[in-house]
């Protein structure tokens, strides 16, 4: 096994969380015509192919501007 004990636990947790997230996305997209999925870059790297296979290519990918005007509205 790669890594020390805590690194292996962390990897197992991340894999479990990503599998759960992929299942939830798949389940919800079957119920709703439109679905917004927001998650961090780490999840994106792992889940991109699965999400695109289920939902198609994203219509928006990236980060939003964090200008003070945007945050105050």
């Amino acid at each position: 096994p790669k890594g020390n004990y805590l690194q292996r636990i962390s990897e197992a947790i991340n894999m479990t969380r990503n599998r759960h997230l992929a299942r939830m996305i798949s389940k919800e997209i079957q119920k709703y015509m439109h679905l917004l999925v927001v998650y961090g870059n780490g999840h994106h790297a792992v889940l991109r192919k699965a999400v695109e296979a289920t939902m198609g290519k994203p219509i928006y990918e990236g980060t939003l501007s964090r200008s003070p005007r945007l945050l105050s509205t």
Side-chain angles (χ1 to χ4, degrees), residues 6 8-9 14 17 22 24-26 30 34 37-38 40 49 55 57-58 60 62 67-68 72:
L6 293 177
R8 291 193 309 267
I9 289 174
N14 286 335
R17 197 168 68 214
M24 292 303 298
I25 292 169
S26 180
Q30 292 174 20
H34 300 284
V37 178
V38 179
K49 288 181 182 179
M55 298 177 65
K57 295 273 186 190
Y60 176 79
S67 68
S72 67

Side-chain angles (χ1 to χ4, degrees), residues 4-68:
N4 65 37
Y5 179 71
L6 293 177
Q7 289 169 328
R8 291 193 309 267
I9 289 174
S10 177
E11 179 64 21
I13 290 169
N14 286 335
M15 286 175 42
T16 300
R17 197 168 68 214
N18 283 326
R19 283 188 201 121
H20 175 71
L21 184 54
R23 281 192 301 268
M24 292 303 298
I25 292 169
S26 180
K27 177 182 170 186
E28 296 302 312
I29 196 62
Q30 292 174 20
K31 292 194 304 188
Y32 302 104
M33 183 175 216
H34 300 284
L35 181 67
L36 172 66
V37 178
V38 179
Y39 52 69
N41 192 39
H43 292 293
H44 180 68
V46 174
L47 296 173
R48 181 180 187 142
K49 288 181 182 179
V51 171
E52 286 183 4
T54 303
M55 298 177 65
K57 295 273 186 190
I59 57 172
Y60 176 79
E61 183 177 319
T63 59
L64 297 174
S65 169
R66 294 184 181 224
S67 68

